[in-house]
């Protein structure tokens, strides 16, 4: 496990947010701020809204911000986690690349609690695939650290940092795929914060899209269904997941996906928690529990096109396996040695451990 992100950001700015953003909110827009006490959370959200929507405000805070550098959409990771660079560092270190933080960076977040300046991300990439490895080596040698696949980064970084990387990756990927207008085919341009893109010809505006995905733990008494896709690390099993389709409610998606993937009928579907997930592009994982329908078969019949295996696992066996803690080939996985589940950063882990250890 890498060290916490906060250690990589100078502590001198401990009260940065309170000073800068509150002064800012008093001067801009929040006219009733002085007479009405808003919570720090509301302050933070309104400040982030201003950063996203106001070009000049965003430009001001870019010059005070910290930047995560991506190369070919891979975050640069060092011994202490994500390498956060100041604006001055970025200008100096990236002078040999054709990137400009004012023009090319995207706003990602303001930490909570608000202990540091806003965080931005910037991507350096090459259209020449043959040069991608050399580019990654060059960026790594100049900035330190190494470009790491986002999937691996999410498994090894602390949860709060993983969330920032996940958001930044999704936004950077969306910008790289939305270079042209889907209405007229002309080029689009990014606003300063990366909150939207606008067509240079027909002025159509595009906002980052989100794909809702249902992820479901099917239970029947003291056992639950765990499944694995061929792409999973060895011995890793998870809950069942599938995209919501047009016209469906969340419950309809759960019913359909469970039927399609493992041939079971469920009801008593309940929502548990949600999480942004950057694959395959920008997903909103909606975590649910569902119970095997009374009187229906409990015989699993898997869709071989989607799954490699699916099985009923007893709660007592899961408790034993999760307590084992054997090392896996993929850092961060939980369990072992015969079965692993996704790391604590993943909502699948929350669903499985919540059910496993509930009293
Ligand atoms: Zn257009």
């Amino acid at each position: 496990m890498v060290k916490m992100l906060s250690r990589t950001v100078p502590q001198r700015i401990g009260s940065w947010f309170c000073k800068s953003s509150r002064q800012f909110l008093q001067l801009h827009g929040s006219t009733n701020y002085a007479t009405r006490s808003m919570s720090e959370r509301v302050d933070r959200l309104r400040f982030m809204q201003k950063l996203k929507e106001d070009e000049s405000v965003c430009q001001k805070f870019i010059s005070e911000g910290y930047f995560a550098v991506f190369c070919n959409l891979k975050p640069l990771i060092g011994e202490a986690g994500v390498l956060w660079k100041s604006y001055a560092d970025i200008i100096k270190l990236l002078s040999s690349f054709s990137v400009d933080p004012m023009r090319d960076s995207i706003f990602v977040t303001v930490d909570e609690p608000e202990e540091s300046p806003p965080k931005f991300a910037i991507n350096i990439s090459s259209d020449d695939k043959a040069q991608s490895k050399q580019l990654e080596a060059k960026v790594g040698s100049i900035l330190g650290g190494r470009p790491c696949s986002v999937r691996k980064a999410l498994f090894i970084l602390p949860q709060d940092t993983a969330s920032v990387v996940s958001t930044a990756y999704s936004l950077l990927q969306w910008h790289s795929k939305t270079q042209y207008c889907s209405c007229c085919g002309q080029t689009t341009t990014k606003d300063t914060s990366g909150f939207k893109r606008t067509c240079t010809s027909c002025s159509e505006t595009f906002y980052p899209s989100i794909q809702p995905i249902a992820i479901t733990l099917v239970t029947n008494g003291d056992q639950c269904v765990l499944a694995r896709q061929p792409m999973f690390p060895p011995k890793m099993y998870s809950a069942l997941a599938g995209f919501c389709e047009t016209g469906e409610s969340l419950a309809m998606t759960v019913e359909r996906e469970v039927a399609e993937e493992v041939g079971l009928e469920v009801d008593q579907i309940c929502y548990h928690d949600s999480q942004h997930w950057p694959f395959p592009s920008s997903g909103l994982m909606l975590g649910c529990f569902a119970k095997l329908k009374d009187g229906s078969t409990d015989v699993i019949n898997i869709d071989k096109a989607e799954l490699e295996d699916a099985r009923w696992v007893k709660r007592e066996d899961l408790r034993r396996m999760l307590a084992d803690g054997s090392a896996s080939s993929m850092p961060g996985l939980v369990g072992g040695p015969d079965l692993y589940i996704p790391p604590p950063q993943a909502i699948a882990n929350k669903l499985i451990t919540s059910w496993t250890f509930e009293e």
Side-chain angles (χ1 to χ4, degrees):
M1 179 68 73
V2 295
K3 294 172 189 169
M4 296 296 286
L5 163 69
S6 58
R7 294 183 189 176
T8 69
V9 176
Q11 295 302 305
R12 65 173 175 78
I13 44 182
S15 60
W16 178 91
F17 179 83
C18 292
K19 286 179 187 167
S20 297
S21 70
R22 289 197 171 186
Q23 283 173 5
F24 173 81
L25 285 166
Q26 283 177 300
L27 291 170
H28 299 79
S30 292
T31 52
N32 58 352
Y33 177 78
T35 55
R36 183 166 61 86
S37 175
M38 290 188 293
S39 72
E40 288 194 3
R41 172 165 284 231
V42 171
D43 282 353
R44 170 177 169 268
L45 294 172
R46 290 198 170 176
F47 176 57
M48 288 173 64
Q49 178 189 18
K50 203 77 181 168
L51 258 176
K52 285 186 272 191
E53 296 177 352
D54 190 314
E55 297 278 304
S56 60
V57 170
C58 191
Q59 285 163 7
K60 167 179 162 44
F61 284 100
I62 283 177
S63 64
E64 298 181 17
Y66 273 77
F67 297 77
V69 178
F70 285 64
C71 183
N72 295 325
L73 293 175
K74 297 176 182 175
L76 229 60
I77 305 284
E79 286 296 313
V82 173
L83 298 174
W84 291 100
K85 301 291 183 185
S86 68
Y87 180 74
D89 284 344
I90 284 287
I91 292 288
K92 186 172 69 179
L93 294 168
L94 298 185
S95 59
S96 59
F97 301 96
S98 58
V99 292
D100 173 1
M102 257 325 151
R103 182 193 63 206
D104 301 319
S105 64
I106 55 153
F107 167 63
V108 182
T109 192
V110 171
D111 280 347
E112 187 181 22
E114 302 82 4
E115 291 180 345
S116 66
K119 289 188 165 68
F120 298 84
I122 193 164
N123 184 47
I124 303 166
S125 62
S126 167
D127 293 334
D128 185 352
K129 298 291 180 194
Q131 298 296 316
S132 62
K133 287 294 172 196
Q134 288 94 320
L135 180 67
E136 288 175 20
K138 183 178 177 186
V139 171
S141 70
I142 292 175
L143 279 84
R146 59 187 166 77
C148 173
S149 81
V150 172
R151 196 174 289 275
K152 184 175 179 184
L154 297 185
F155 277 33
I156 62 175
L157 291 170
Q159 193 158 358
D160 54 350
T161 317
S163 169
V164 173
V165 167
S166 175
T167 303
Y169 169 79
S170 289
L171 287 169
L172 290 169
Q173 186 193 51
W174 178 78
H175 282 287
S176 74
K177 288 182 173 179
T178 318
Q179 301 282 313
Y180 297 94
C181 175
S182 58
C183 299
C184 74
Q186 295 302 305
T187 54
T188 61
T189 55
K190 179 180 82 63
D191 68 342
T192 303
S193 69
F195 183 55
K196 64 185 178 186
R197 296 187 73 88
T198 306
C199 177
T200 53
S201 178
C202 74
S203 301
E204 184 75 15
T205 303
F206 300 92
Y207 296 93
S209 56
I210 296 170
Q211 296 177 312
I213 301 166
I215 179 162
T216 308
L217 188 69
V218 176
T219 66
N220 183 27
D222 265 355
Q223 51 184 358
C224 70
V225 174
L226 295 182
R228 60 171 280 111
Q229 299 173 15
M231 62 179 289
F232 283 1
K235 298 181 182 177
M236 192 189 95
Y237 282 73
S238 188
L240 302 169
F243 290 103
C244 299
E245 294 185 352
T246 303
E248 286 183 334
S249 66
L250 179 56
M252 289 162 74
T253 302
V254 169
E255 252 188 285
R256 176 181 54 75
E257 278 294 334
V258 173
E260 287 177 358
E261 295 193 0
V262 292
L264 297 175
E265 205 173 346
V266 294
D267 60 8
Q268 298 184 59
I269 297 160
C270 73
Y271 166 80
H272 179 66
D273 200 355
S274 66
Q275 176 189 44
H276 173 260
W277 189 244
F279 309 111
S281 53
S282 185
L284 177 60
M285 306 286 281
L286 302 160
C288 298
F289 293 110
K291 291 188 176 176
L292 185 73
K293 193 169 185 176
D294 279 348
S296 66
T297 180
D298 64 354
V299 177
I300 291 174
N301 178 3
I302 68 170
D303 175 0
K304 288 282 187 185
E306 295 270 339
L307 299 176
E308 185 178 277
D309 186 30
R311 60 177 73 166
W312 287 104
V313 182
K314 289 183 180 171
R315 196 192 314 247
E316 63 188 73
D317 291 338
L318 256 179
R319 282 182 177 171
R320 177 176 47 76
M321 287 187 277
L322 297 186
D324 181 280
S326 300
S328 75
S329 59
M330 178 67 106
L333 297 189
V334 178
D338 301 319
L339 181 147
Y340 295 92
I341 64 170
Q345 295 90 330
I347 193 169
N349 178 291
K350 293 186 178 70
L351 285 171
I352 295 166
T353 55
S354 170
W355 177 82
T356 300
F357 296 106
E358 75 180 12
E359 295 300 327

